[in-house]
Structure formats: structure tokens, C-alpha cells
Amino acid sequence: MKNEISRCKGVLFDLDGTLINSEWLGTESYNYGVQKILNRELTESEKQFLVGKPFNALHVLFPSLTERETEEIIEETLRYYRKYHLQIKEYAGIKKMLQSLKDRGYKLGLVTAKLKSNAFKELENTGLLPYFEVVMGKEDCIEFKPSPVPLLQLAKRLNLKPAECLYIGDQPTDIQATHSANMISVAALWGEGNYERLIPVKPDFIFEKPEQLTKLLT
């Protein structure tokens, strides 16, 4: 693994639950949209399933949704999200970690399944946007995690080979996508990451604090 780390030139990030504490709002927003249109709340397992997933995941939970119902749920979900998005903050130690990596010459990129406009607003509000050379949102992705495609797209836009990249995320789908992309995987436990859910997918590293990532790459 030391040889792989020495080849690393780019550090790629997930957004929600990894850099910013937005997962709670995403879950509440989905629940609000479903409750408003379908007149019922999401179960705990349904909420967990939707964490970090794009809107097309609604059809997995509700296969009989009409196009109109889907549009209305999305509209209500986004309305709720935008009402409270200013409450989203970065996790402790994130800015210091990003600055340290940038100072050391690493290329920094980010890919998320959320709308690009929302991602940019949250990065601007938290002061994280200037650290990233490339930010990819839902509109930029051909496929979504656990597919490796969005990670490979991001690496290409940074002019990096997959073997030169390390990817950090908080969900099993992040680690699965990283392995499929032949990148180094880091599971982040400082946010929404859960050890019991992440350990079965065998991340290369599991870190409880952002500074552990900085130490790894120094």
C-alpha cells in the first residue's frame, strides 16, 4: 500500500456526510416530499436506503409512482432542502485538512449525486469551494455510485490516472465505487460513516478524524 500512496496525486471527495453535515437535511427533505404527496412517512430502512442517492432511487422504493407524483415529490423535497440549507456546516477539521492537501500540491476534486447548484451553494456557504479544482454534480454524471464511472469521470477531468487517485466517502457505495475504479479507498467516520456498515466492503483505510488523512499523505 505504501507504493500506491506514493503514486497518489489527487484526492477525490464525496460531499454529503463526508465534508458537510447535510445528510440529516437530505433525509428530512425526502421524508417531507413523500409525506406531502403520498401521505405517509418514510420508514427508517427507507430513509437509510435514500441516503446519498439521486432522485431516481425513489422508483426503487415506490415502483408504482406516476411521473406526476415523482415530479411533485422532487419539487417538495427541493423546496424543503433549500429552506434549511444554510444550517449545513462543514465537519470539524475539514478546512485545515483541505488546505494542508492543497499546500502539498494534491489536486482536489469532488463528485456528488445532488444537483450541482445545491452543491455549489453549500460549498460557498461553508467556504470550501475554493479548495476544489473540479466539482461534479448530478448533471455531470453518466452513472452514479456504486458505479465507478463518476469517479473515473472526475479523475479524467483532473488529468489523473485512477491509480493516482484516493477517494474518501462515508457510505458503502462510495467504497464499492472506489474499488471498482481501482483507486485507494478511505472510509470517513467523522461524519455519517458507520463502522459496522463500512467494514464489510473492506476500505483500504478507515479514519475517525480528517487529520488522519493529512498524516497519511505527508
Side-chain angles (χ1 to χ4, degrees), residues 26-70:
T27 299
E28 286 187 12
S29 300
Y30 262 131
N31 190 55
Y32 179 84
V34 169
Q35 188 177 39
K36 222 26 188 172
I37 305 306
L38 301 184
N39 298 310
R40 80 162 180 86
E41 294 197 7
L42 293 169
T43 65
E44 288 305 313
S45 62
E46 288 170 341
K47 289 178 182 178
Q48 188 61 57
F49 173 78
L50 288 171
V51 169
K53 290 188 173 64
F55 287 122
N56 58 15
L58 287 167
H59 288 283
V60 178
L61 290 181
F62 309 110
S64 61
L65 274 182
T66 66
E67 185 176 343
R68 181 177 179 80
E69 286 174 330
T70 302

Side-chain angles (χ1 to χ4, degrees), residues 16-18 20-24 51 91 170-171 188-194 197-198:
D16 302 307
T18 300
I20 58 176
N21 69 339
S22 51
E23 297 285 31
W24 65 273
V51 169
Y91 292 113
D170 65 296
Q171 295 295 318
L189 299 185
W190 57 73
E192 292 296 319
N194 179 281
R197 295 187 68 234
L198 286 162

Side-chain angles (χ1 to χ4, degrees), residues 22-190:
S22 51
E23 297 285 31
W24 65 273
L25 182 54
T27 299
E28 286 187 12
S29 300
Y30 262 131
N31 190 55
Y32 179 84
V34 169
Q35 188 177 39
K36 222 26 188 172
I37 305 306
L38 301 184
N39 298 310
R40 80 162 180 86
E41 294 197 7
L42 293 169
T43 65
E44 288 305 313
S45 62
E46 288 170 341
K47 289 178 182 178
Q48 188 61 57
F49 173 78
L50 288 171
V51 169
K53 290 188 173 64
F55 287 122
N56 58 15
L58 287 167
H59 288 283
V60 178
L61 290 181
F62 309 110
S64 61
L65 274 182
T66 66
E67 185 176 343
R68 181 177 179 80
E69 286 174 330
T70 302
E71 290 175 354
E72 289 177 342
I73 290 174
I74 292 173
E75 183 180 339
E76 294 294 341
T77 298
L78 289 174
R79 180 180 291 116
Y80 188 93
Y81 197 94
R82 288 165 181 161
K83 183 177 180 180
Y84 296 103
H85 73 95
L86 288 176
Q87 296 181 22
I88 293 171
K89 305 296 180 184
E90 80 277 8
Y91 292 113
I94 291 297
K95 284 183 181 175
K96 185 177 180 180
M97 173 193 68
L98 293 175
Q99 186 63 59
S100 178
L101 295 175
K102 198 171 183 68
D103 290 344
R104 286 174 169 79
Y106 289 101
K107 292 186 174 184
L108 305 184
L110 183 152
V111 60
T112 175
K114 74 188 336 171
L115 291 172
K116 199 168 185 175
S117 59
N118 288 343
F120 266 85
K121 285 178 184 176
E122 291 155 14
L123 290 168
E124 288 173 346
N125 292 340
T126 54
L128 301 182
L129 186 58
Y131 294 105
F132 296 97
E133 292 185 36
V134 177
V135 174
M136 288 176 50
K138 177 180 181 292
E139 303 92 325
D140 302 306
C141 297
I142 300 171
E143 297 179 20
F144 299 97
K145 298 173 289 187
S147 166
V149 171
L151 277 64
L152 295 172
Q153 285 182 262
L154 181 56
K156 185 176 181 179
R157 289 182 60 175
L158 287 166
N159 294 313
L160 295 172
K161 299 175 182 177
E164 296 173 328
C165 297
L166 179 149
Y167 186 78
I168 302 98
D170 65 296
Q171 295 295 318
T173 51
D174 293 313
I175 306 305
Q176 291 166 340
T178 310
H179 288 167
S180 296
N182 293 315
M183 298 179 182
I184 300 167
S185 61
V186 174
L189 299 185
W190 57 73

